[in-house]
Amino acid sequence: MIKTRHALMAALLPAVLAGCGGAEATTGTSEVKVLRYQGSAGAVTYAELAEELGYLGDLKLKWVGNTTSGPQDIQSAATGQTDFGGAFNGAIVKLKAARAPIKAVVGYYGSDQDTFNGYYVKDDSPIRTARDLIGRKIGVNTLGAHHEAVIKEYLKRQGLTPDEIKQVQLVVIPPVNTEQAVRQGQLDAGTLGGVLRDKALERGGLRPLFTDVDLFGPFTAGSIVLREDFIADNPTTTRTFVTGFAKAVAWAQTHSRAEVVGTFERIIAKRGRNESAETVRFWKSTGIAGKGGVIAPKEFGTWIDWLTREGELRPGQVEPDDLYTNAFNPYAAGSTS
């Protein structure tokens, strides 16, 4: 699997380097004012919230479709198909290690006591400990990202050897199918978060084996990235965008759940994409640890350590400072002006 991932990154690299200019690239001294991005059906991004709240100034957003995953979203940004994208911080580490010219600029999702990912089994399952997972199947949404990292960290902390961890089989399954697969015995355990977790637990019959917030405490898990050439060519646009995004995160962190959900519903209704707003009604919190999405070094350091242990990075191949900057986030200096 490791060789396959490295091959994919190697295949991506020429496109990353060739595509840095992007379709909306700046010319001369004129900065980009229209930012292309991918959204998510039935969900609202903090960039979209920032635009709705008037935090983006003279910038406009241009929706080009919906993303299929975090790794796909940041690859689209790296190759210039979009101007920004977001993914799990571990995925950002891997893309940067493949020499993609990207920089994380603000956190956009994470886990806390209200918003988290749990790893669930049936109530009558014999699985009670990490060792009980040896030879078992766990459902995840994708490999090489948040869920795999959390599972392997849990197994390691519970004392399993690398060879024993390899015997725990991770099965890729669409999140909407995970609950049914666990209940029918096709999976021994499954990853559930958000509305899918809430609905599954309402139906009963499932219990958590562990959660990501149990392991790490409240933490920001994913960040928004920009291309480094975009930042260099568009410093004013970059600052306006990151500031507006950070203010939208802070707004959601400090306003009532009812206000946030109502605003999300209004955005979905206005954009006219023929989608349901049901999912946002289950919104509980941002899950983002730092005010306004300020990034902490450990939010990349944790995953650098994991990828190094997995043999996907050489020791010292990348450092947290290579991966992110808080320079454009007003909350990093305690200011919101």
Side-chain angles (χ1 to χ4, degrees):
M1 184 179 298
I2 291 173
K3 291 181 179 178
T4 300
R5 290 180 192 157
H6 283 311
L8 287 172
M9 288 299 182
L12 171 67
L13 184 57
V16 170
L17 298 177
C20 287
E24 303 276 345
T26 184
T27 58
T29 59
S30 176
E31 294 196 17
V32 169
K33 296 298 183 183
V34 178
L35 303 183
R36 298 159 299 148
Y37 77 102
Q38 295 183 110
S40 182
V44 175
T45 70
Y46 290 109
E48 292 168 326
L49 177 61
E51 185 174 53
E52 174 69 17
L53 296 175
Y55 292 159
L56 293 185
D58 61 349
L59 304 184
K60 301 294 183 184
L61 299 180
K62 181 179 180 181
W63 176 67
V64 297
N66 290 328
T67 184
T68 57
S69 70
Q72 183 274 332
D73 199 29
I74 60 172
Q75 287 174 12
S76 293
T79 56
Q81 296 170 286
T82 58
D83 294 306
F84 65 89
F88 166 57
N89 287 336
I92 294 172
V93 172
K94 290 198 291 185
L95 194 56
K96 185 67 174 181
R99 294 187 292 145
I102 56 172
K103 185 76 75 171
V105 292
V106 62
Y108 82 103
Y109 87 91
S111 294
D112 60 22
Q113 295 302 323
D114 294 317
T115 300
F116 59 87
N117 288 283
Y119 300 79
Y120 292 85
V121 298
K122 292 195 293 185
D123 274 344
D124 60 359
S125 169
I127 297 173
R128 296 284 175 179
T129 69
R131 190 157 297 278
D132 296 332
L133 288 169
I134 295 174
R136 305 282 191 165
K137 297 178 181 179
I138 305 178
V140 296
N141 68 328
T142 188
L143 295 175
H146 184 127
H147 296 157
E148 179 178 356
V150 171
I151 290 168
K152 290 188 173 178
E153 181 67 16
Y154 166 73
L155 297 174
K156 174 182 175 293
R157 291 192 190 185
Q158 295 301 307
L160 271 66
T161 67
D163 285 341
E164 289 171 333
I165 291 173
K166 289 177 183 177
Q167 296 175 53
V168 179
Q169 185 178 353
L170 303 184
V171 178
V172 176
I173 183 171
V176 294
N177 301 128
T178 299
E179 177 191 354
Q180 183 179 9
V182 172
R183 291 189 188 279
Q184 294 180 344
Q186 297 166 309
L187 294 172
D188 299 293
T191 308
L192 292 170
V195 61
L196 296 176
R197 180 195 65 238
D198 292 343
K199 287 186 173 182
L201 296 182
E202 281 180 2
R203 285 186 275 270
L206 298 178
R207 58 178 169 82
L209 188 60
F210 65 99
T211 71
D212 55 7
V213 77
D214 289 340
L215 287 178
F216 301 107
F219 70 103
T220 298
S223 301
I224 296 295
V225 304
L226 299 171
R227 295 186 311 280
E228 291 172 337
D229 70 307
F230 182 96
I231 295 171
D233 292 341
N234 301 278
T236 301
T237 290
T238 298
R239 185 169 296 279
T240 300
F241 170 71
V242 177
T243 296
F245 193 106
K247 285 185 174 182
V249 170
W251 185 91
Q253 289 174 323
T254 56
H255 283 68
S256 71
R257 178 182 175 277
E259 287 178 281
V260 175
V261 170
T263 304
F264 284 174
E265 290 176 328
R266 184 170 71 247
I267 292 170
I268 289 174
K270 285 170 61 176
R271 68 193 186 191
R273 298 180 192 169
N274 192 27
E275 59 193 327
S276 170
E278 179 183 3
T279 299
V280 300
R281 294 171 189 146
F282 287 81
W283 186 90
K284 294 180 178 178
S285 69
T286 68
I288 299 169
K291 185 174 181 180
V294 172
I295 299 169
K298 68 179 181 179
E299 291 162 355
F300 279 101
T302 296
W303 311 118
I304 291 173
D305 293 345
W306 168 62
L307 290 165
T308 302
R309 289 198 309 268
E310 290 291 297
E312 296 198 41
L313 292 181
R314 301 184 306 276
Q317 185 175 352
V318 293
E319 299 291 343
D321 287 348
D322 301 329
L323 297 159
Y324 78 93
T325 179
N326 285 315
F328 302 101
N329 191 325
Y331 295 94
S335 170
T336 59
S337 59

